[in-house]
Amino acid sequence: MSITSALVLFSVIWFMTFLIVLPIRVRTQGDLGDIVPGTHAGAPEHHHLKTKAWITTGLTVVLWAIIGGIILSGWISVDDINLLKVMPPLE
């Protein structure tokens, strides 16, 4: 795996993990009973983005190491996911 592939894999895992972590522990204006006029009651009041970004980065490093290890070990290769036999075999 090249450096570019590793960075792309890390970025994809980071953003997917961030979108999963983002709604956790969100305190909305409706939950707190303090709705600012002109905003939706579901608008976040306390979002904790910095903490969520650090949690996401930690989870991503672990997942990236596992997935990268699987890719580099050859345990799962492109031939394993070529179910329709569309891609030529790797030699």
Side-chain angles (χ1 to χ4, degrees):
M1 177 178 358
S2 68
I3 293 174
T4 306
S5 300
L7 289 174
V8 168
L9 180 64
F10 187 87
S11 299
V12 168
I13 295 170
W14 193 92
F15 280 104
M16 288 177 61
T17 307
F18 187 66
L19 291 175
I20 292 169
V21 171
L22 198 57
I24 298 172
R25 290 186 54 212
V26 172
R27 300 296 308 255
T28 64
Q29 293 178 9
D31 292 341
L32 299 176
D34 184 24
I35 301 171
V36 177
T39 62
H40 192 273
E45 182 70 30
H46 302 292
H47 45 71
H48 310 289
L49 277 180
K50 188 174 185 179
T51 304
K52 290 179 183 184
W54 281 109
I55 291 169
T56 300
T57 303
L59 288 172
T60 300
V61 168
V62 172
L63 291 172
W64 179 75
I66 293 169
I67 294 170
I70 290 171
I71 292 171
L72 290 175
S73 71
W75 190 48
I76 297 175
S77 67
V78 175
D79 291 333
D80 294 331
I81 60 173
N82 187 15
L83 300 176
L84 300 176
K85 305 297 183 208
V86 178
M87 296 178 278
L90 296 175
E91 296 179 22

